[in-house]
Amino acid sequence: MAEAKEKSGGGFFSKSVQKRASRAKEKLMQNLGKADKTKDEKFEIYVNNFSKQQAAAGKLHKEVKKYMQALKVLEGASKSLDETLAEVHEPEWVDHGTLAYACQSNSFLWESYQSSLNDLVLEPLTKYQSMFAETRLKIDKRERKRLDYDNARHNYDATQASKKRDETKMQKTAAQLTDAKVMYDEINTELHDFLPSLFESRMRSCVELYQAIYKSEHHFHDSIAQTSEQLYNAMEKLAAESSQGSYSPKRLQPQSSSYVPASPLGVDLSMTNKSSHTDKSDMNGPPDDEQGAPLDITVEKNVNKDEEREKKAAEKQREKEKEKEREREKRKEKERVKEEEKRKTREKEQQLEMEAERTRQIEKEREEERKRERDEEQKREREKEIEKENANAKDVQASKEKIDADKDVQDENVVAAAADTDADAPPGGYLYKVHATHTYTGEDEDELTFEAGETVYVVDHDDPEEQDDGWLMGINKSNCRKGVFPENFTKRI
């Protein structure tokens, strides 16, 4: 079991290396102009359009990610500014809670905006871009199949042009050409159908992405503008109240002092003043109270002035109280309007949130529908591939059966010839013997198969002109089969 696995693995590796070598050789010959190349100008146009579309999608994806990273930084700066403004706004000022409410609203709007961009723009764009990697792999595979087809075509042409016709080799190269052409035509037809449809879908994809970006941005700026307008109105109200002195602190008046300093000479100044007044009265005549009328008129005038001042002060006080009452009414009205605006804002935000939820639901349903369509398309493609593989398998099986029949006939002839002689006796005319250092499984019917440790008799090649470098003609001692084998798998005895 282990030996069979080793043989199978070795054979697959050997075939893979051989394919790569043949492709590299074919590509080199085509680049040097020594071999013709299968050309398809229409396919080259498709690949050029695909490359442009892939580059545009990659650039758009990169810029959207950079934009969202910048939004996250701007969100942090906006939040920090709002918190600082709310902290500076003193609690006793009007609309103190408006700033805190604005901070919460702005934070919610920033998160909603970034979430909307991520769900409606970034994720669909990532899925759209992932298609290009898969398609690029198919384009590379098509190039490999083209090289295989060109190589098989050139081998078949060389066999046909050979002077010495080998029917077995011609059948082999014809079968290889048929298989290579079938595989090349299959993937070539698939890409000829898919690449134009993918290129035409770019407009629909771009329209959906643009609409999602502009709609999210419009909703965000419209909502945050409403919050900014509310804050601006609150500051207008604060400025109006500040100009009316509503928040001005009361200034204390300095108290008048009745302190009379003492005379440095120890004289009673109050008595001196009285004495001076008495002397002046005696000199100038009787005092005013002795004259009668002038004193009464002065007192009456003073009393009238005091009454007028009191009336004016009372009127000013009443005006102030009326003004305060009007201001209270205005504040109540503004608060009522503000509450009404808040209620409308909440209703509008709820409505916008419901619309956003409906939009997300619609996008989700669309995505599910697109996924179902893709699954159905993939299912149909798998069914086509299975049908093609079954058809190819039937052709390959028929070819193998024919080759096996020819090989059985050849083996029977060799066994019959070997039966006439002694199996252990070496064939006449062999050149020398070699010892197999590695196991080798013949890939063609004219190649020899042997196990490590077996002995092979080296004989002359039937046609020395067709003998390749590094290959020998020999007869396996164990089964008397004749064929060519690689020299580096054996050691001369």
Side-chain angles (χ1 to χ4, degrees), residues 38 45 78 82-83 100 139 176 178 194 201-202 243 249 308 342 480:
T38 301
I45 295 174
S78 177
D82 290 341
E83 291 176 352
I139 293 174
Q176 291 176 349
T178 302
F194 178 72
S201 68
R202 72 193 189 285
S243 63
E308 290 177 0
K342 288 182 179 179
C480 296

Side-chain angles (χ1 to χ4, degrees), residues 446-477:
D446 61 343
E447 294 182 5
L448 192 63
T449 299
F450 50 79
E451 301 289 337
E454 291 185 346
T455 302
V456 179
Y457 296 101
V458 180
V459 297
D460 290 329
H461 202 282
D462 296 340
D463 188 356
E465 293 181 356
E466 293 186 358
Q467 183 173 359
D468 297 329
D469 293 339
W471 291 77
L472 301 175
M473 176 68 75
I475 300 174
N476 193 338
K477 180 182 179 181

Side-chain angles (χ1 to χ4, degrees), residues 174-191:
Q176 291 176 349
L177 177 60
T178 302
D179 294 340
K181 188 175 187 306
V182 168
M183 298 183 70
Y184 170 70
D185 290 342
E186 179 182 353
I187 191 170
N188 189 52
T189 303
E190 179 185 356
L191 289 174

